Every structure is written in structure tokens, then in C-alpha cells.
Amino acid sequence: MSISTKQTLSQTSFLENYLKVRALTNELCEPLQPEDFVVQPVVDVSPPKWHLAHTTWFFENFILKPNMADYRVFDKDYHFLFNSYYETEGDRWIRSERGALSRPWVKEIMSYRAYVDEHMKQYLSDEEISKEILDVLTIGLHHEQQHQELLVYDVKHILGINPLFPAYKSFRGEINNTNLEEKFLEVEEGVYTIGYQGNDFSFDNEKGVHKVFLHRYRIQDRLITNGEFMEFVEAGGYKDFSHWLMEGFEWVKKENIRAPFYWLKHEGVWKHYTLAGLEEINPEAPVSHVSFYEADAFAKWKGKRLPTEFEWEVACKMHEPEVPEAANFVDERNFRPMPRQGINTQFYGDVWEWTNSAYLAYPFYEKPEGALGEYNGKFMINTMVLKGGSYATSRNHIRPTYRNFFHPHLRWQFTGIRLAENF
Amino acid sequence: MSISTKQTLSQTSFLENYLKVRALTNELCEPLQPEDFVVQPVVDVSPPKWHLAHTTWFFENFILKPNMADYRVFDKDYHFLFNSYYETEGDRWIRSERGALSRPWVKEIMSYRAYVDEHMKQYLSDEEISKEILDVLTIGLHHEQQHQELLVYDVKHILGINPLFPAYKSFRGEINNTNLEEKFLEVEEGVYTIGYQGNDFSFDNEKGVHKVFLHRYRIQDRLITNGEFMEFVEAGGYKDFSHWLMEGFEWVKKENIRAPFYWLKHEGVWKHYTLAGLEEINPEAPVSHVSFYEADAFAKWKGKRLPTEFEWEVACKMHEPEVPEAANFVDERNFRPMPRQGINTQFYGDVWEWTNSAYLAYPFYEKPEGALGEYNGKFMINTMVLKGGSYATSRNHIRPTYRNFFHPHLRWQFTGIRLAENF
Amino acid sequence: MSISTKQTLSQTSFLENYLKVRALTNELCEPLQPEDFVVQPVVDVSPPKWHLAHTTWFFENFILKPNMADYRVFDKDYHFLFNSYYETEGDRWIRSERGALSRPWVKEIMSYRAYVDEHMKQYLSDEEISKEILDVLTIGLHHEQQHQELLVYDVKHILGINPLFPAYKSFRGEINNTNLEEKFLEVEEGVYTIGYQGNDFSFDNEKGVHKVFLHRYRIQDRLITNGEFMEFVEAGGYKDFSHWLMEGFEWVKKENIRAPFYWLKHEGVWKHYTLAGLEEINPEAPVSHVSFYEADAFAKWKGKRLPTEFEWEVACKMHEPEVPEAANFVDERNFRPMPRQGINTQFYGDVWEWTNSAYLAYPFYEKPEGALGEYNGKFMINTMVLKGGSYATSRNHIRPTYRNFFHPHLRWQFTGIRLAENF
Amino acid sequence: MSISTKQTLSQTSFLENYLKVRALTNELCEPLQPEDFVVQPVVDVSPPKWHLAHTTWFFENFILKPNMADYRVFDKDYHFLFNSYYETEGDRWIRSERGALSRPWVKEIMSYRAYVDEHMKQYLSDEEISKEILDVLTIGLHHEQQHQELLVYDVKHILGINPLFPAYKSFRGEINNTNLEEKFLEVEEGVYTIGYQGNDFSFDNEKGVHKVFLHRYRIQDRLITNGEFMEFVEAGGYKDFSHWLMEGFEWVKKENIRAPFYWLKHEGVWKHYTLAGLEEINPEAPVSHVSFYEADAFAKWKGKRLPTEFEWEVACKMHEPEVPEAANFVDERNFRPMPRQGINTQFYGDVWEWTNSAYLAYPFYEKPEGALGEYNGKFMINTMVLKGGSYATSRNHIRPTYRNFFHPHLRWQFTGIRLAENF
């Protein structure tokens, strides 16, 4: 069941959703030791305990504090510690130093979660909630789902750069009857409608329904695999500047990049760190942990290109249900990209797909009022759009119009490649 | 007369063009002292003597060396010193250290220019030049015009950060009968054609003619003035995060930005450095030296937005001649933005205009073969498109489809603001 | 009982010493939560669990592995993870990233300690140990005592920069009958002998007994107090360049230094973080957490100077026992500098005292062979000598000849001031 | 004739000295082009025109402005531009950006020099000058001599990092009858007097005559040659950590150091840049352009050590005249280190010699009042003492007690090696 802001949705189902989403965050942390919750190996990673507290602060700060009578904040210092980037909400502990804080402990943060959950339960049970508050609450749930995804990225980074390569957890084995046959789906030229048109929840950055003209194009029906990407690696793709954007090639040289993140060559064999530990690379699984620069260079090396976000959205809507059904989401607990099976078009799940579209405002974009206006709009520069969700995304969190965005050099997140071309 | 690659254009007129373009570079350097040719106060600025040599190297390396029989290079070390960023052409002196080189002296570089010009004259007079070579030669002329513009940016930076505020040269006085009346031109929704369709020269990045759908919009018929921007400054616009992109606001705080580059408040009065020295700010002249971040924040503060590159191009084509006529270009030797006079729409010249479009490949973009393939395509990330040319642009260098691009934080170049809005 | 390398000392007493020293490390960690063991807020701080493992690695790597028959290392990856700076011992995890490792967990490291202790017990009980091995073992014990001291510095840093200001533990109250009367001890000019001449353990850097000529001087008999230093702060001492070394004043400006580390002004009252939490400053206790720059500037402001390491050593030997008796060492478990009581000369304990001597080799210094030659000699540049020990030093670890050393800008360690002057 | 502060010295001879010193600065600049005066390839180098102006500012600011009736400063902005580091004198243009200023031009600065010289001539001719002013004037002359030396360092850097390797000027050929026989001079243990005891000029840092005890030692009677140092290079000395201080070895690795500065291996042959251009290395000339780290590592590799500043001073006084006679100073216009000839002990001239003494205050050091108190004392940290002068030092500027100082990693200055040992 998808989360909805329709007035007909009862408060009961909200509470149910709330508890489900909150429970998943806790479940994702179960395999961790207290020490794992603290570290921040690079600025892009947040300590897991920070995610646990920040998502809780969201509900405390935007729901309980302004709305619940007699609510007392759990700890007055937490506002300073767990605000992420909301200038509206005042000063905050700087992001790059989140890993410098050993306190509050995980147990204290778990108490904070329980305290807020208890009050949320009471609040949602006792009072009649206005449409405006339900909207904020809905954002809070999607916000927590986004942080669940970041949490998995960050846990993988924390464990994956450790020379001991500890496993997060073990998984079921690989699927055998994969289908790597490749098809390019054709889309005819025309004026298409872009942006969210449904009645359920969507973010402000998907709104402002508008039209775009697309020339005809072809787009791959599945993701690029590890095996395909390894050909690029072995062909010297990282050494030939002609495939690369200049800033991409400077990044390759400065950071000494030779393969996707987490890949390492051990005694002549490529391995990679997965959430199950250090493993041989499955050539049939989708390649992951490539930056936009690598995705773009790979596409050029193949004589093709990345699709735009509009090409992706139009093709997805043609071939996939508007509300995703089974795909490799966090709901499956696979915790890794899976080889395509059967005849799936594999637009959803597995890994986010880089597009060749800069993350910018839609023509009719309107920034919401207040702190939540800082949610999406202020990031619309120097980032590229990604589509489709990953194995750490919740099924009810994703849609064809969903716009994710990252800086082009980042690759600790779960990112892959789909190709397109003119015809 | 515009530069053309049409076969009908005779070699004679090419030579004439060549000599004209080369002469302007020298003329622009006349007010400088030898010491001015050497410094590089920031990485984005190149020493003027580097521009003089690099543009000469372009003709030596891409025309004379491969094509002219018995040509001997002026100095074998210059290839290493004056290659800018062409990986195809091998190793080169790093960009950030251009200001560390006192040698070759200006006089030596002037000899280099004379030597190459002499050979170019001979080459263009004696031999029949193929279409392929004429194409490279044409690029060489446009390349030199681009460096003329950079040269003026860089000279202004070199002199303008000097506490003595020396003048580059003095100018004729301001124009009096300005017209600051503001009109928003309306454009109806529809499918429009984008990209260069003429027969004269254009860059690869303008090619790949294609269609876009535009919703109806309104676009200002002139540039934002210093007076209008000063209202933003005085209203505390630089201190209120709500107008800013996050990376823009971080830039404002880190760099302690309080006004456009070259503005300084002296005993309560705003002044700015112009190429004529430190002057009071003319409120009627177009504002210049704003970054994309400032342009975008100003637009939001006004309740409007920046146009996309497509909106700009379509409106320009509607209201301006395809081949620019009189406007404030370098041909006028004004060396400053001028207040709009009469009923001009002021799309051309004065200052480049930031658009809200990321600099990315057009759908049918094709990278040329060889070193010249590095000219435009490899910069297509993390930069924004600017349109229209400036007072340092040559009239025969600009067109409605011309796509300039800079990183969003840069503002030593001549950049201004035009607003747009939906309606 | 002091640790000794005399052959007469039995192996039994060695084992006893070993177990005592190892037990203190564990005791010092008892107040910590698992999360506290992981963080590294600045490069100079190591995560507590790193200290626990590194000191253990010392015994495993330098005693057990080369000497104990059939010894199997606890984990083969630990050599890479827990080597500190011994080039002789090969590659190692870089120091600045120690805080990026959540694994091994504290429990695993505690198992490592138990495993090595068990084997050390067996080894010291079963075999007859050579003089050479006893020497290394002795260094290992002093090494662990040094890391105990660093551990306390680092724990204080980790907790003290946390906005929650958590206490490490609570202490007994202040002593009342302090004696702040100040006396300057006089020493006559002459040739004095410097360096360790006893038969017990000392480090290589104290060896090479030699003579120095000292002009007559006077040296304070106690440490500068918080109250005295506060006068400097309140008199604007941090703002007047004339007291400062140039690099010191640049450091003050760049780091925005206004008081000793851990001091903060809260509603007009100076407080400081101590291991008992945020407290009002006791003006009678010795000032701590000053850099060499601050100590030197304070001395100049007072019209005096810091003593040289030779002046300090000569005066200490005159007024204190060679083997320290009661003083404020870690043995007292005070965990803070204490006001001077009675007629003590307060050369030992409380805080390390900056001298105006650069840490350089003594005339007859000889670097030991092998990895342990890297222990002291290679740090003899850009650091200043400190004398006397602190409240985190073990009583049997310190002597008048002991030479500690730190870079002049550092102040997270426990450092204070004693003045000297000519007469 | 040496510069003296004795009252008996007439003002006429002061004027004579003044004009001589000033003339040498101009002479040293004669081979330069205007472009050479501007650049600052690294922060330690100042543009030559800055030296020309700063030394002139010294006389204007400390002599003419406070003392000469009706003196008008040449340009009021020069105080801000050409103050070096005197906090007493207020704000100043930051050192690292000296190379960003193309103006004032060299010609303007030459006019500044002429203007100040003219007024100095008039001032010294017309008025009776007090002892206090003569003292400042004397410092001004020594100050200019120090900047002459820095000027030669900086010119060499500016030309020497240029891939064209332009010559500063050509020189007379090498001397043939070199004497490379090596003797170690023996000095017996005892109490020696250190510091300047004469009646002529000396700096504050040499004052405070005091005694030191020296154990007996042996010290080399000449400098280490290129040939001797090349053995260290070829033996892999830069790759073996065991010879190096830790910060030295980190510097070697980070900066990829493989030989002295200005050495480069070209087709298997070691060459080096000298002020005469790129040349083969003369194995008989003293090695130059080594950092303290390299000097120290070389000494350790040879099984010896560097002398302390006290050992050097005592030996020099034993074997050299107090007032230097013929040696390879700037007076000789050799502009390079020369092989030792005949039986000279070669303590003076050629290259400054690193000692193993940190630059710290002498026991009776007293900082002068006012701005000139900032001349020496505030640099007494993190630097090492050098002795003896170089081929860019004026003969009448140097003495056995002269204390030069540089940070241990610097090597663009003219620095070499003399060894010592115990016996």
C-alpha cells in the first residue's frame, strides 16, 4: 500500500505506516555494533547514529513541538546536534564533524527514538490531525525512507573501507536463470508530459507538470553489467582521456581511480566489497558504484550516450507500471543488485541510474514555504539527476517521476548505467 | 563582414580577416606595461603574454606545422609552454603556474607573433588551401577572439585587485538619454527550433539542430542595472539564505561576498573598479561581475527567475537580427557596459547573461575528431550557459545560438542578469 | 618500586610490573562507552581502542613473535592496523584515518589484549629471558605508560569538544590549604652535568651524559596558576603581537585563539572542561592546555622567560629527589592539576612544563639499532622539550632527565608554565 | 672598510656606505628584464621589484619620515604595499600575494629609489645625525644587504624553474688548482665565549655575550662537494628512511625529492641550473641548495653529524680572521660556489652552512624597542641556525657570530654542509 496524502486516508493507516517505516530503520541497524554507529570516514558519509537521531528530530521538531500540547523535547541540545541543513532552524553542528561525536551513545539515541515514537503514537491516536500536518508527516516518512537508503550507503562505506572487510550480513545465493539479452526500446519523437500527475505523495521537485519535446531515441531495457563494465576497465578506459569530461579525467588522475568504488584486484582477480564481505565479482549483476564521470565515459566508449531524465521517465512510463510492483527494492532484503531475470525491463530498483540531465527546477517549480522549502530547491546546481531507485529504496517510495540527484564525482551511493542513443 | 567557411569566400578575404583579428589582440595590449603581461593573481586568470603566445601557437601548431612545407617552429619549447589543455597535444606547463614564468619576455612573444604572422601571410598567399584547413583556420580566428575577451577579463582583474587601482585607459563619457523603462516580452508556447542553422561558422556545441517545447513565458527586454542590483544589496540580500542555492550561500559565507566583484564601499559610497579606474557606480548601466549564484538569488528575490538558454535564444531570434548589428561590442571600444538607449532590446553585447541551463550536449551533438574535439565537449559538466556576448566580444563572433559557459561561482568575467517569468 | 633493567631484577618482578602496567590501561578505559573508543576528532588524537591495540601489538611484535616458540599472531591484519610509525616494520594504516575504522570492536581488541597477556605470562614464567629481551620488554612497559598518558589526553579531547560536555568521572573535591606564595630558586653559574647517569631504565634521548655551562639564573618554585594566566587573558594578551613569536601570533589569528584550550566564556564567566565536566575555573590550580606559543608569550608579558631544559633539570635535581616521591601523578587518580600545597616545589606531576629548548640530540647521542632506533631520534626537529610529567604520568615513569617533546602549537596535552629569569 | 656604529665614524663615510650599498642593489638587477621583476613562483620568493621598494621604504619610513623636516612621502600607498612584516607599522599587503601586483612598475620603483636616495643624500649632508638615528641607518644598510642576498636567491628561483633555463649572466671559468684534501680541525673541550664582542655593528640576536661548555670535537675544514653529495644520491640516500628525521622523510616523499634543488638528470647525466644557465655539475664545487633535512641525512649517512652553531663559531674564530678577508662573497661577483683553493679553511662565503642548533634566544638576549624589535626575535621558533655567509653575502656584512636562520625544509637559498664529529 502506498503512502497517500488523500484526505480519505485514515489516521490509523498513517500510524501504521509510521510504525512500519520506523521499524525498518531499526531493523537495518540490527547487524551493527555500537562502534559502527559512530564513524564518518568521509564527509559524505554520516555516522549511522546520526541518521537515527536526525530522522527522529524531524518528527519531534516539525510535528510534536509545534502541534502536540505539553510536549517536552527529549533533550534541548539535540536540536543543535541533529538539524542537518535547515538554515530556518538555526545553528547546527557542522556536517564534516559528525564523526567527532561519541555522545550521545547509541542507547541514548534509541531511547530518543522510543520517546518520540511513543509520543507520535499518542498524538496520532488522540487528536484529529489537519491536512497541513498530515502533509508534513508524510514528508517525514519519505524523509526517513531516504535516510534508510543513505544509512545503507554509509554502512557499506564504513565497513567496506575497513581492511578487515567485515560483512554486514550474509545473503541468499545468486539467481541462476538470468537474462542478459539486450534490447533497445524505441520511443518516437513527440511532445511528452513530464512531472507527477497523481494524487499520492510526491516531492516539490517533481511537480510543475510540463511538456517537453523529445526527438526519437532508443533506450536500453536493462542495466549495464559488471561484465560489460569490466571490458571498459580492461581495455584501458580509465587511461584514455578521449572518453572523459575534463573534470572527470582530472578526478581520475587526482584520485587514482582505476575501477568502480569497492573493486580491487587481488592476485590478478577482480573482487569487490559487497554487504556480504569481499567477493568475486558476478559479471551478470548490474555494475554499481560508478560516478557520473565513469557512467558518461563508459557510454562514450560504447559509442552511445546516457539518456536524459526526460527520456528515462517517458520510457519508464511506457514499460513499467506507474506504481512499482516487484523489483529489487529494500523490501526484498537482497542488499545487492541482482542480475535481470526473465523479461523484466529493470527500470526500478537495483541501482539508481545516472542521466545526462542537470538537476534544475522544472518550469513551474514552486518552492514550499518555511523550513521544508529547503528540502529540494536549494540543491539545484552542480548535481545530476538519477532515476529508478535502488536495492536500498522502499517500494512505496519510488515513482517514474522521482528525481534523485548527486554530484557527478560521487559513487559511494548505489549507482549504475543505462545507455541510450539516437536513431 | 562576418567570417564564413563557405567555399566561395576567397583566401584573400581570409588573410584580411586573419590580419584584422591578430591586430586587435595587439591593440588591446597597447595600454599595458611589460609587468602587466606576467601576473596571474588567481588560477582563472592567465597572464596576458600567455594569451598572446597561446593564440599564436594555435596557428603554428594546427596550420603551419602540419601544412606548410619547410616550416620551422619558432622555438621548440613553446609547444610545452603554450598548449592550454589539449591532451592530444601532450604534456604542458600547468595552468595554475602560468604566472610563475617571466620568460619568454613580451618582446620575444611579440617576435613570435610576427614570425607566425609572416609565415601565415606567405602560406595564405602562396598555396591553395583546402576546405579542411580553412575550417581549422576559421576556428583559429574565433579562438583568438575568445582569447581577446579573456584577455580583457584578465587585464581588468590584474589591474582591479591592485590597491593602486590603475586605469587601463580612459573613455568617453556616459550616454545621457538612457531608457530604463522595462518591458517583458511575451513568447507563446510551442515547439521551437534550437541550434545553428546558417552557413557561416559556428561551434560544434551549437550544432545538432533540434526542437524543444517551451511553455509560454515572459522575458525582460533589457539587462538588470546597477541601481536595481544595489537595492538587493541594501536590502540585505546577501545575508538572507532563503534566496540562495545552498552552494551559493556557502560561497557567500566562505568568500565573505557582499556585492558584485570590483564593488567596494568607500566612506559610505559604493564605488567599483572599471577599466577607467575606481569610479562611482552608474546606477543606469547594466550590473556586471555577478556569479550565477548572485544572478539566481537576485531573480528569486525579485520573485522571478532566470531564463533558460532556449527561452533566451528564441526571444533573441524574435527581436534581434540573426547577424548582430550595432551593439556594445569590443568593436565600439567602450570597454564597459552601457545604459540602454532608445528602444534597443539589448540582447547583444554589454555583458554575458546567465541562463538557468546547464551546459550539456544537444541531442545530436557530435564531437569532432582530433585535438579540436577537445574544444567544447569535454567541458560539459558543472557549468552554466551564458548568452549574448559582452563589450569585450567581437561583433562578428557572436550569434543567437552561441553558447558560452562558466562555473557558477565565477565572476571576473563580464556577466549580468536578464529576468524571465511564467505567465 | 621503579622498573629497572638491572640484571639482578628477577623475571618475577618483571611479570608483576607487566601486569600492573597493563591493568592500569584497562582501568583508565573503564568509564568509557564503546562509542568513545572509536572517534578521532583531530589528527593528533588517536581513538582509545587504537591505543589499546597498539600497545599490545608492541609486545606481540617485538617480544612474542620473534622470541616465543610456536607463538601464533592473534590476527595477521593487526600488524598493518596497529603499527604506529615504525618504517622498519613496513606499511601501515595512515594515522589521520584511525578514526575511520569501526572494526575491530572494543571487545575484539580486549580479547587481543587478553590473548597477548596470557602468552606474555606464559613466556615470562617458562623461559629464561635474555638481557636484550628484558630491555625491549622494559621499553614496552614505558611505551604503554606513555600511551596511557596519551589515552587520557585523547579521552579528554573526545569528551571535551562534545557540546554535551560529558564527564569522564567525578573526583574528590579541591584541596583547601593551598600555598600560592611564589619563590624564585637561585642557581649559581657553573658547569653542570646533564643526562641520565643512573642504572635504571632511561630513554636513548636522555643518554650521552655531557656538560653544559649555565649562567646564574632564577627559576620559579611552582607552576603558573589559572588565576595568573587569566590576568594575561583579561589584559588583552592574545591581541598584542608584541608578546608573541610571529608563527605564534599567526596561529592565534588563524585559529581564533582567545584562551587556553577547553576554556570558554559562558555568560561572562570563564569555565573550562575538565575530566569531571564543565566547571568554573579554579584560579589556584596550575594553568593547563597552553601551547608553547602561549607559554612563551605569557612569560614575555611577565617580563620573564621560560627556562631551558638544562636550567630545569639542574634546578629539579637540586630540589627534588632523583626518584620522585608523592606528587600529582596518575597514581593519585586526581585526573586534574592540583593547587600547590605546603612547601612542595611542584617540579613533578600536575602538568608538563614547556622549556625554551628545542628537542635536539645530546652531544653523545646514539641511535639504537633496529626498529627501536625510530623511537626518539627521528622526532628531533621542530619540537620543544617539556619536563616534569603530569597528572596522567606514572610515578615510576618520570625522572629529572626525562625529555618529552611536542610541536609548539599543540595544547590538547597537559602542559603548563614555569618562569625563569636572569639575575 | 666595514660599516661601524662607532661615534668616530663621520657622516660622510656613512653617506659613502649608503651610496655603495644602494648601488649594488641596482647593479644586481641590471641583467633582468622588466618581466623578471614581477613573479613570485612560491611564497618564499619575493618579486625583485618588491625587494627594491621594500628596502627603500625602510629608509623612508624609519629615517626620513620621522626625522627629516618637510619630507613628503613618495606615494602614500607604498607604506601598505612595501611593509614586510612589521606589525608595529600596521596593515600590509599579504606576503603570498606579492606576485599578484604588476604595479607600481619597475620604472616607478626606480624613481622611488632615486627620490629617497636624493633625500637621504640631502639629509645626511645637511643635518647632524644623532647616534640613535645612525644606529637605525646602519641597520638599514645591513637590511638592504640581506635583501640583496634574498634578491639573488629569488632571481635564481625565478629563472631556474623556467623550462627555458635562461642565464642571469655568464661568468669567468672554473678555477683549476682546487684543493679537495679534507682535514678535520680539532677543538679541545672547555668553556667558550659566544656572541659579538666587538665595537662595530651586530644584530640583536648575536648580542648577550655568554659562555658555553663544549666537549671536544672535530670539524671539517671545508665544505662538502657536489661530488661527495652525488655519492649519497647514487647510493639511494633519498630512499632509505633510516638516515632521515621523520618530518624530513615525509617531506622527501610528499615533494618527491631526489636530489638538491636545481639538480636534474638529463639523459643519464646530472645537471643543475646555475646563474649561468643549465650546466653539468662540477664535482669539486661545494654542494648547494640542500635543506636542513638533506644536510642532516647526509651527515648521518657519513656516520658523522652537523656541528652546533657554537662549535662552528669557536672553530671559525680559531682559524679565520674576525673580520673576513678574501673569500667567495658577492664582492667577487662569482655568483656561484667555488671549489676550495690552496689551504683556505673555507668558513666564509660560498654557501651558508646548516648547523644542528635551533634558532633561539641567547641567555641575555634583549629585544629592542619599537618596530626594529620585530627584526629578529619573533622568528625564534622552528628554524635552524646557519653560519658563514654565501657568494651572495657582502664581505662587510658577515662575522663569526652572525646567525642566519631558515626553516629546515627550505633550500632555494644558498646552503651547504660542513661535518663534525666527536673524538
Side-chain angles (χ1 to χ4, degrees), chain C residues 37-238:
Chain C
F37 286 89
V38 182
V39 297
Q40 180 179 36
V42 296
V43 66
D44 308 293
V45 166
S46 291
K49 75 189 179 79
W50 185 88
H51 289 294
L52 295 178
H54 167 67
T55 48
T56 304
W57 166 85
F58 192 100
F59 291 110
E60 178 177 68
N61 191 62
F62 294 121
I63 301 286
L64 296 177
K65 217 164 76 176
N67 300 308
M68 188 183 195
D70 301 327
Y71 179 76
R72 303 186 58 159
V73 297
F74 182 76
D75 186 312
K76 68 174 175 33
D77 288 322
Y78 284 18
H79 187 67
F80 175 76
L81 288 174
F82 300 123
N83 175 10
S84 53
Y85 56 68
Y86 297 92
E87 299 270 351
T88 315
E89 300 297 318
D91 285 344
R92 58 205 171 280
W93 185 254
I94 68 164
R95 183 183 177 202
S96 59
E97 298 303 313
R98 287 175 187 163
L101 299 180
S102 63
R103 313 288 176 98
W105 313 325
V106 177
K107 273 185 195 163
E108 289 170 314
I109 285 172
M110 287 301 185
S111 300
Y112 180 37
R113 289 184 70 86
Y115 176 87
V116 165
D117 285 352
E118 204 48 52
H119 284 79
M120 283 294 290
K121 254 188 275 188
Q122 196 183 322
Y123 174 68
L124 287 171
S125 308
D126 292 1
E127 300 187 33
E128 191 168 340
I129 314 297
S130 71
K131 170 75 170 64
E132 286 66 32
I133 294 174
L134 285 181
D135 283 354
V136 176
L137 181 56
T138 307
I139 289 183
L141 293 182
H142 284 281
H143 174 258
E144 181 132 357
Q145 289 180 319
Q146 291 179 317
H147 277 279
Q148 285 164 0
E149 178 144 3
L150 288 167
L151 177 70
V152 184
Y153 300 166
D154 293 353
V155 165
K156 183 164 180 185
H157 195 293
I158 287 164
L159 300 178
I161 58 120
N162 193 305
L164 304 174
F165 298 117
Y168 169 70
K169 58 188 294 187
S170 56
F171 308 111
R172 70 174 198 227
E174 298 289 346
I175 286 150
N176 292 318
N177 54 341
T178 61
N179 170 16
L180 294 185
E181 205 182 329
E182 181 187 55
K183 206 166 68 190
F184 273 78
L185 311 168
E186 299 193 351
V187 181
E188 286 307 315
E189 80 163 34
V191 173
Y192 292 92
T193 299
I194 294 295
Y196 188 71
Q197 302 178 79
N199 295 315
D200 282 345
F201 175 79
S202 70
F203 282 112
D204 55 2
N205 62 11
E206 301 163 65
K207 294 203 173 83
V209 175
H210 66 285
K211 295 181 198 154
V212 300
F213 182 91
L214 296 182
H215 289 272
R216 66 182 192 166
Y217 64 99
R218 306 202 308 146
I219 189 167
Q220 217 176 355
D221 71 338
R222 65 154 172 82
L223 297 163
I224 293 296
T225 63
N226 285 319
E228 288 163 331
F229 199 87
M230 202 177 291
E231 289 173 31
F232 174 73
V233 176
E234 298 294 348
Y238 281 91

Side-chain angles (χ1 to χ4, degrees), chain D residues 190-208:
Chain D
V191 173
Y192 291 92
T193 299
I194 293 295
Y196 187 71
Q197 301 179 81
N199 295 312
D200 283 345
F201 174 79
S202 70
F203 282 112
D204 57 1
N205 62 11
E206 302 162 65
K207 293 202 173 83

Side-chain angles (χ1 to χ4, degrees), chain D residues 216-421:
Chain D
R216 67 180 192 168
Y217 63 99
R218 305 200 312 143
I219 188 167
Q220 218 176 355
D221 70 339
R222 64 156 173 81
L223 298 163
I224 291 297
T225 64
N226 285 319
E228 288 164 329
F229 198 87
M230 203 176 292
E231 289 172 30
F232 174 73
V233 176
E234 298 295 347
Y238 282 89
K239 287 172 193 155
D240 183 350
F241 65 84
S242 71
H243 313 310
W244 295 83
L245 292 162
M246 189 172 74
E247 295 187 6
F249 200 60
E250 285 170 358
W251 169 81
V252 163
K253 285 186 291 186
K254 186 170 170 236
E255 305 289 332
N256 199 18
I257 307 286
R258 298 153 186 259
F261 194 40
Y262 297 126
W263 286 32
L264 58 90
K265 209 165 195 171
H266 188 64
E267 295 172 1
V269 180
W270 279 110
K271 297 195 169 187
H272 65 163
Y273 176 76
T274 73
L275 284 166
L278 198 63
E279 295 186 335
E280 280 200 26
I281 292 171
N282 179 352
E284 303 198 336
V287 69
S288 186
H289 297 295
V290 289
S291 68
F292 174 83
Y293 295 129
E294 289 163 291
D296 181 70
F298 175 84
K300 283 170 179 158
W301 176 74
K302 287 292 260 188
K304 301 209 171 356
R305 60 177 177 79
L306 300 178
T308 65
E309 64 167 316
F310 310 113
E311 290 171 337
W312 191 99
E313 182 175 328
V314 167
C316 176
K317 281 173 177 168
M318 282 177 175
H319 295 277
E320 297 273 12
E322 187 87 12
V323 176
E325 290 163 5
N328 186 13
F329 292 122
V330 75
D331 311 67
E332 304 297 316
R333 309 293 197 274
N334 279 323
F335 289 109
R336 59 173 61 183
M338 302 296 279
R340 200 241 315 247
Q341 282 182 280
I343 56 164
N344 290 332
T345 42
Q346 210 182 17
F347 274 88
Y348 287 131
D350 287 306
V351 288
W352 289 94
E353 305 171 27
W354 287 109
T355 71
N356 196 34
S357 293
Y359 178 54
L360 294 169
Y362 280 174
F364 305 119
Y365 174 71
E366 282 182 20
K367 193 176 78 167
E369 293 291 308
L372 294 178
E374 298 187 52
Y375 204 97
N376 278 306
K378 76 181 189 182
F379 300 101
M380 289 174 172
I381 192 72
N382 290 336
T383 50
M384 300 301 281
V385 173
L386 300 102
K387 304 289 284 186
S390 82
Y391 63 84
T393 308
S394 285
R395 190 168 62 82
N396 67 14
H397 181 70
I398 196 77
R399 325 162 261 292
T401 56
Y402 196 108
R403 307 174 80 199
N404 200 352
F405 51 93
F406 281 102
H407 287 93
H409 68 288
L410 292 176
R411 55 183 202 153
W412 99 107
Q413 73 280 37
F414 306 153
T415 49
I417 308 171
R418 178 189 308 280
L419 299 180
E421 64 183 348

Side-chain angles (χ1 to χ4, degrees), chain B residues 140-154:
Chain B
L141 292 182
H142 284 279
H143 174 259
E144 182 132 359
Q145 289 181 319
Q146 290 178 317
H147 278 278
Q148 285 164 359
E149 180 143 3
L150 289 167
L151 177 69
V152 183
Y153 300 166
D154 292 354

